[in-house]
Structure formats: C-alpha cells, structure tokens
Amino acid sequence: MITNEYILAYDNFVKKELGYIKIHKTPETYEKYKFLYSEMYLHISTNPEDFIKLSDSSIKYYELEFTEKVTYIRHKLAELATQNLVPLEILWVPRVKINLNLWDSIISIRTEKLIRKIFDEDTHHDLETYRLYEPFERKSDIFKWLKTRNAKNFLFEFQVSVGIKSEVLIKKRLYLFDKDFTYVQQSIMSTKTWLHIEIIEAYNQWLSDKKLWSKIDHIKRKIESRELFDESRLEIKFRRLLESHGFSNRFIHDEQVSWNVKYRPDFWFIKENLIVEYDEKAHKFQQEKDKTREKIIKRYIPNITFIRVSEGHEEKGLFELKAYLAKYNTNN
C-alpha cells in the first residue's frame, strides 16, 4: 500500500501535466488526457491499498518498459486487463517526483499479476527464449567469474558436449519480438548483458562448492591438447580430404568428449550426432580396445553413430560419410 506522500505526488503530477497539455496541445488531446489522468488518480486516491512501489513488486523496471514499448506484450496486457476487469488507465502509471530527493514509480497489484503472467506463462516463442536468459551488470561478480579458468573450462565443456558456443550463452542483446524490444535494451540496459540460465546455474554451483572445478586435472588436459600437434600425418591428410569436400566447418577435430572421458573422437559431427574414426594399419591390433572406446563414448553421447575409415580406403569412407549426411539432411 502506498502512503499519502505518494497520493499527493500523483495529484500534483496530474495538475501540472494537464496544465502543460492545455497550453501546448490541442483541445482534443487535452480532453483525452484529462480523462485518462483523472481516472488514474481517482483509482490511486480511493484505492491506495491496490498500489505498491514498483521496487516492491515482482516486476523488473525493464520488464515494465518492454511491456509498454513492445507491441505484442502491450496488446497482450490490454487483452488480459479487459478479461480481468482491470481498468486500462491504471496499466501504466508514470514515474513522478515524490519529494525533493525522490522520483519513484508505483504499480497496481492487479497489473503486476497480469504482467507476471505474460512473462512467466505466455507461450509466444520469443517469451520462451526470453525466459532462458537473465541480464547482469558487466561489472558484477558473475562476469569476474567468467574470466576465470573455472568458467572457461565450463564453457568449453558445454560447447563440446552440447554443441552450443559461448556467444549463444552470453548475449549483449536479445533479438526478440520487434525493433522496439531491441531499442529498449539499447536505451535502458546498455551496461547489462544477457546470460543463459545454464551459466547462472554453473556459477551458483561454483559458489556453493569452489573446489568443484579444481577437481579437473588441468595439467593432464594441457598435455592431451598438445597431442593435436603430434597426430599422424595420414590422419591430417584425411582431414584435408574432408575439408576439400566442404566439411571444414561441420566437425570438431580431436576434442575431448567430457572431463570424465579421456577419449577424443577423430572427427565429431556434433549436429549430426556422428563420429568418424580414422584407423591406420596399426588399429588392426587394437580392435577390442576400439570397441571398448566406442561403448564408453556412447554412454556420454546417446544415439551416436560411428563410421570407421581404414587407411587405404579413404574414398570409401568419404562415400559412406556423404551417404550418412544425405540421409540425415533428408530426415531432418
């Protein structure tokens, strides 16, 4: 419930605003705003228990801005207000000068519930995307964490295991709805960046157990990453063959599956759920070991398909790969 100080502030606002409109606008505009502002103040003054400070509500300031500026959300709120008998003139209550040191906003409790319903429950695909992110100040602690080895390891593992790069998880701007949504972000959220809930969850886990990420054997990881430079020349030659056939941006080469699995597939087509293993002649002496390796990888990557390409049969392997990808593209 708001205090008398707030009620008086809105009374002063209505009088001054209507005085300005009467002098500088048309009579039609004046009559329009006279009705809207008078009705708004009537609700505020006669039902103060129905209003609270915006800062005490569950609505973020930017959500209120999105609601007012974005066409879809604005229309949705008006529609819900009509259905729930909420007066349209109290949907957007201006921010006003409360006293010499304070400007503040209030919101109707009924409006708060409707806005919350839209942002939390509406099935519009852009709102579903919006719910996957939260904005954070770029100087906040979570951004300091993102620069650490712990966070970089998390982002790397997320990219490798799920196939999503960090630029999808960390966005300076969400391109949703219409140009008004983007404009509001630029105008009132220029110091913030949207972080995916996966990153927020990882950060919270790290806060609860800061030893969690230190359990990774970083030295072993560095040694294994160096092996990339020591790979066989024949495997490199097969990689060049794949690249020459237009597959250079389709696979991850020699990347570890997870912290928990030491194996690194030769060529991993993440989107198509395919691993291509290049077997030199020496592999005929370790077939059982290769089968065990495949079983372990399948535990961490469900429904993965393996194609094994033998030394001397590279063209046959390339044909099999193309056939698999063509079938995948047809089915998807």
Side-chain angles (χ1 to χ4, degrees):
M1 178 173 175
I2 58 174
T3 63
N4 287 331
E5 185 180 28
Y6 277 76
I7 297 173
L8 179 61
Y10 276 94
D11 184 26
N12 291 332
F13 165 79
V14 170
K15 291 175 181 176
K16 289 181 179 180
E17 194 70 12
L18 288 179
Y20 174 85
I21 294 173
K22 190 172 185 178
I23 295 172
H24 299 282
K25 304 292 182 180
T26 64
E28 292 79 8
T29 301
Y30 171 75
E31 291 300 325
K32 173 186 173 182
Y33 279 96
K34 180 181 178 182
F35 171 79
L36 291 175
Y37 283 151
S38 298
E39 286 296 308
M40 178 193 72
Y41 176 69
L42 180 62
H43 284 285
I44 293 172
S45 60
T46 57
N47 303 285
E49 69 278 2
D50 288 347
F51 294 84
I52 57 175
K53 296 178 184 179
L54 179 62
S55 58
D56 291 335
S57 76
S58 62
I59 308 300
K60 306 290 193 303
Y61 173 69
Y62 56 84
E63 288 180 326
L64 193 63
E65 291 292 314
F66 293 157
T67 305
E68 185 172 1
K69 297 292 194 303
V70 179
T71 304
Y72 174 82
I73 306 177
R74 184 174 66 251
H75 289 174
K76 191 69 178 181
L77 178 59
E79 176 187 322
L80 290 176
T82 301
Q83 292 172 4
N84 290 272
L85 303 179
V86 177
L88 297 180
E89 56 268 19
I90 65 170
L91 293 184
W92 289 282
V93 181
R95 183 170 180 262
V96 303
K97 184 177 181 180
I98 307 301
N99 55 49
L100 289 175
N101 302 311
L102 176 65
W103 284 74
D104 206 358
S105 300
I106 65 174
I107 187 171
S108 159
I109 295 172
R110 289 186 289 172
T111 301
E112 175 196 19
K113 290 179 180 178
L114 297 182
I115 294 176
R116 196 72 276 141
K117 182 178 180 66
I118 293 171
F119 280 97
D120 294 346
E121 301 176 22
D122 193 275
T123 57
H124 190 289
H125 63 278
D126 281 343
L127 280 166
E128 290 179 345
T129 299
Y130 167 85
R131 287 192 279 271
L132 295 176
Y133 293 86
E134 286 186 33
F136 288 84
E137 291 287 344
R138 293 173 196 163
K139 294 182 180 180
S140 60
D141 289 341
I142 193 169
F143 273 87
K144 295 177 184 176
W145 174 76
L146 280 169
K147 296 178 181 179
T148 67
R149 181 178 63 183
N150 297 321
K152 290 176 181 177
N153 280 327
F154 162 74
L155 292 174
F156 173 79
E157 294 297 342
F158 196 87
Q159 175 182 343
V160 171
S161 61
V162 184
I164 298 180
K165 296 183 178 181
S166 60
E167 55 263 33
V168 177
L169 300 173
I170 306 173
K171 289 178 172 288
K172 289 185 178 180
R173 196 169 295 120
L174 295 180
Y175 290 94
L176 305 175
F177 304 107
D178 51 34
K179 62 182 181 181
D180 290 327
F181 185 86
T182 304
Y183 173 76
V184 175
Q185 291 178 90
Q186 290 175 318
S187 61
I188 72 169
M189 301 180 70
S190 59
T191 63
K192 295 185 179 182
T193 296
W194 298 90
L195 300 183
H196 196 281
I197 55 176
E198 292 283 354
I199 286 181
I200 301 167
E201 175 62 23
Y203 175 65
N204 290 333
Q205 287 184 23
W206 177 77
L207 284 179
S208 64
D209 179 10
K210 295 190 178 182
K211 295 181 180 179
L212 182 67
W213 304 94
S214 63
K215 294 174 184 176
I216 308 169
D217 189 341
H218 298 289
I219 296 178
K220 180 181 178 183
R221 192 182 188 89
K222 288 181 179 179
I223 293 173
E224 289 177 343
S225 67
R226 289 292 301 177
E227 292 176 4
L228 176 65
F229 300 102
D230 299 324
E231 60 189 353
S232 70
R233 292 182 180 179
L234 289 172
E235 185 176 319
I236 294 174
K237 188 175 180 181
F238 183 69
R239 177 180 178 176
R240 297 289 179 263
L241 180 64
L242 292 178
E243 291 172 343
S244 68
H245 281 78
F247 298 122
S248 57
N249 295 319
R250 300 282 293 276
F251 59 83
I252 291 177
H253 181 222
D254 208 44
E255 293 280 6
Q256 196 166 332
V257 172
S258 170
W259 291 327
N260 306 316
V261 184
K262 66 180 180 180
Y263 301 121
R264 298 183 304 181
D266 292 338
F267 306 96
W268 184 2
F269 292 74
I270 293 179
K271 179 181 177 181
E272 295 83 2
N273 220 24
L274 171 69
I275 287 177
V276 177
E277 294 282 19
Y278 183 79
D279 296 340
E280 296 179 34
K281 291 178 180 179
H283 273 264
K284 67 182 181 180
F285 301 109
Q286 59 179 56
Q287 291 180 0
E288 287 302 316
K289 188 179 291 186
D290 287 340
K291 289 180 181 179
T292 301
R293 168 179 168 156
E294 286 188 14
K295 288 180 181 179
I296 293 174
I297 290 176
K298 284 179 178 178
R299 293 178 194 169
Y300 289 85
I301 313 177
N303 303 317
I304 192 72
T305 297
F306 280 83
I307 292 178
R308 305 204 75 91
V309 180
S310 301
E311 179 183 342
H313 300 277
E314 289 82 0
E315 291 295 336
K316 179 183 177 183
L318 183 62
F319 178 84
E320 188 176 354
L321 168 62
K322 288 181 176 180
Y324 175 93
L325 295 178
K327 184 177 179 181
Y328 175 88
N329 291 334
T330 301
N331 295 333
N332 295 276

